[in-house]
Amino acid sequence: MKKLTAIAVRQAKPRDRDWKLSDGHGLYLLVKTNGAKYWRMKYRLGGKEKLLSIGVYPDYSLEEARQIAGDARRALKKDNRDPSAEKQAEKLNRIKVSENSFQIIAREWAENNKQWSDSHYHRVVTSLEKDAFPSIGTRPISEITPPELLAVIRKVESRDALDVASRILQRCGSVFRYAIQTGRAISNPATELKGALKTRKVQHVASVPRKELPGLIQAIENYDGSPITTNALRLLMYTFVRPGELRGAMWKEFNIADAEWRIPAERMKMDTEHIVPLSRQVLEVLNNMDSISGDNELVFHGERSRKNPMSENTMTYALYRMGYKRRATPHGFRATASSILNEEGFNPDAIERQLSHTERNSVRSAYTHHARYLDERRTMMQWWADYLDSLNSNIVLMKTTAIS
């Protein structure tokens, strides 16, 4: 029988009925009426004629189809193995692997966390889709090794996104733990990576621990210096923005009606506009400042010139006068707020966004847009202001009780 040629296969045209082009030894090309072309091989096993579906042309060339058909004939002749049955078994195995892939199990794990809010669910799944699935999503979860998972984390770290890398590792660890609990894995490679993550060198600033916070609030309320300084310290505690962001605050940045302070990108460390939801207490502070600097461009102007912002040392010096030298700094208010809000169970991502901790790359910056978690942040900032006021109320109550 004359063998097929690549040209003949390519030029085979559809007809009114399906037709075949034979290559010999049972291999042929089936040409369908719609123009589709399929490689098939007829063979006999146990006295019965059977058919092996090899694949679609041009996904499989003539040479590739011959190679597969030849392998099937040799297996059939040598070991009496049924090539069609083996192909079906391989297909079933691929389906099984797919069902046990990291991606499928990760989505199942996320779906089972019914206690999550919709927004948190979206954040978790999106982070895995972006940083984990491209590398290990299709891999059988039981076959993923610690070095393989570490490679995923290193890619995130290469963006200088160390906090994100830590969260990805934590979430991957939870997925592996769920796989173990449901009988689809026997080990958790994430536990083998303890200590492997890069850490950012942190320069700690003096901050007041929670138990000493009432005393600091009392000291600020009793401060006998400039009312501009007192109100600046109050606003700094309520908003925990960076001291430089507060000193340069301009009245035009505040929207009293919407209770928002929008700090423009050019005044932010990360060059991204930052929204600070304003609590009732902050609005009261601004009302106090309106009578002092309401006719000025700057909210907290300097003592010598209303055109210049408050000196960067003014609030630090005031804390020194209150007895907090080396015990507290204006920048340390941020650490105190972060610690307490995390202890109280607020969303860590919302806390980080309110602290304006934005990653230094454009893709991530777009993802962590300045308005993300804004509703959560409004609730959180009002809770924080109420909490500080409750500490101040406790101080007043204790003093009154002692006098009586």
Side-chain angles (χ1 to χ4, degrees):
M1 180 179 292
K2 188 176 180 180
K3 291 283 188 177
L4 283 175
T5 64
I7 294 177
V9 171
R10 185 172 63 251
Q11 293 181 347
K13 303 298 182 183
R15 299 177 181 176
D16 293 339
R17 306 173 74 177
D18 295 350
W19 65 288
K20 303 173 184 177
L21 278 171
S22 181
D23 189 57
H25 300 291
L27 177 64
Y28 65 88
L29 181 73
L30 174 64
V31 183
K32 305 287 287 184
T33 56
N34 61 3
K37 302 173 183 179
Y38 300 89
W39 292 111
R40 299 284 189 263
M41 189 187 86
K42 290 191 298 184
Y43 64 97
R44 298 188 72 84
L45 181 66
K48 294 182 179 180
E49 185 177 283
K50 306 194 75 173
L51 187 66
L52 172 64
S53 297
I54 294 176
V56 181
Y57 176 86
D59 293 347
Y60 290 83
S61 67
L62 173 59
E63 288 305 315
E64 289 171 327
R66 284 173 176 168
Q67 180 65 45
I68 294 172
D71 291 343
R73 286 195 301 272
R74 284 186 288 273
L76 181 63
K77 183 177 181 180
K78 181 179 179 181
D79 302 319
N80 205 36
R81 287 162 27 205
D82 186 346
S84 182
E86 288 189 345
K87 184 175 182 180
Q88 185 64 24
E90 289 176 4
K91 182 178 179 180
L92 291 173
N93 186 57
R94 285 196 299 271
I95 294 173
K96 183 178 180 181
V97 168
S98 177
E99 290 175 348
N100 290 335
S101 68
F102 179 86
Q103 177 175 330
I104 294 297
I105 295 175
R107 293 187 186 280
E108 183 181 317
W109 162 75
E111 287 288 345
N112 285 339
N113 280 280
K114 302 297 184 183
Q115 74 277 15
W116 290 352
S117 65
D118 289 343
S119 59
H120 184 65
Y121 169 86
H122 177 73
R123 286 193 298 273
V124 171
V125 174
T126 299
S127 70
L128 292 173
E129 289 174 340
K130 178 185 177 184
D131 292 319
F133 292 175
S135 299
I136 60 174
T138 59
R139 294 274 289 121
I141 197 165
S142 61
E143 296 179 12
I144 298 173
T145 63
E148 200 172 356
L149 181 58
L150 181 60
V152 172
I153 303 304
R154 290 287 186 251
K155 285 184 180 179
V156 181
E157 289 177 336
S158 69
R159 309 194 313 253
D160 195 32
L162 304 190
D163 291 339
V164 178
S166 178
R167 285 198 290 272
I168 291 296
L169 180 59
Q170 182 183 37
R171 287 165 182 171
C172 286
S174 296
V175 174
F176 283 110
R177 192 177 307 113
Y178 174 76
I180 293 171
Q181 293 168 348
T182 54
R184 288 171 286 184
I186 59 174
S187 64
N188 187 342
T191 61
E192 303 299 323
L193 300 183
K194 185 177 181 181
L197 270 67
K198 295 179 181 179
T199 56
R200 201 181 304 281
K201 187 175 181 180
V202 180
Q203 185 175 6
H204 294 286
V205 295
S207 59
V208 172
R210 187 170 191 167
K211 64 180 180 180
E212 296 181 18
L213 192 53
L216 176 58
I217 296 173
Q218 183 181 34
I220 293 173
E221 292 301 316
N222 294 337
Y223 182 59
D224 59 0
S226 165
I228 296 179
T229 305
T230 301
N231 282 316
L233 287 169
R234 285 173 177 155
L235 196 62
L236 199 64
M237 291 198 74
Y238 285 134
T239 62
F240 48 89
V241 295
R242 296 179 181 89
E245 295 159 4
L246 181 130
R247 291 187 303 103
M250 306 176 76
W251 282 110
K252 66 181 181 180
E253 296 171 0
F254 292 88
N255 186 327
I256 303 301
D258 292 339
E260 286 184 356
W261 175 14
R262 289 180 177 254
I263 307 176
E266 60 268 22
R267 291 212 307 108
M268 293 298 300
K269 180 179 179 180
M270 299 301 181
D271 296 323
T272 303
E273 183 187 56
H274 182 49
I275 299 178
V276 182
L278 304 181
S279 62
R280 295 186 300 274
Q281 292 84 341
V282 170
L283 294 175
E284 290 175 9
V285 173
L286 291 174
N287 186 55
N288 292 338
M289 285 304 303
D290 184 55
S291 61
I292 300 173
S293 63
D295 59 346
N296 195 55
E297 188 176 27
L298 291 163
V299 180
F300 301 103
H301 59 73
E303 292 184 8
R304 297 181 180 179
S305 173
R306 292 170 62 89
K307 294 183 179 180
N308 295 324
M310 172 189 292
S311 167
E312 63 180 329
N313 294 321
T314 298
M315 289 185 287
T316 300
Y317 177 68
L319 290 173
Y320 284 2
R321 285 188 58 196
M322 297 174 201
Y324 283 89
K325 186 175 183 178
R326 298 191 186 88
R327 294 171 55 205
T329 63
H331 196 87
F333 291 174
R334 292 166 59 79
T336 300
S338 176
S339 175
I340 294 174
L341 290 171
N342 274 289
E343 288 175 5
E344 292 294 328
F346 285 95
N347 180 358
D349 290 331
I351 297 171
E352 289 296 294
R353 184 78 284 277
Q354 195 54 55
L355 288 163
S356 67
H357 285 167
T358 307
E359 292 177 38
R360 293 178 177 85
N361 88 52
S362 58
V363 175
R364 182 63 179 173
S365 294
Y367 179 72
T368 54
H369 188 266
H370 63 279
R372 286 188 67 81
Y373 323 119
L374 191 54
D375 288 341
E376 292 179 72
R377 287 156 53 195
R378 290 187 197 282
T379 301
M380 179 178 72
M381 295 302 280
Q382 186 58 60
W383 180 92
W384 173 245
D386 291 341
Y387 171 72
L388 294 178
D389 278 9
S390 72
L391 297 181
N392 191 38
S393 298
N394 290 341
I395 293 169
V396 174
L397 181 61
M398 289 168 59
K399 288 174 63 177
T400 304
T401 303
I403 293 172
S404 60

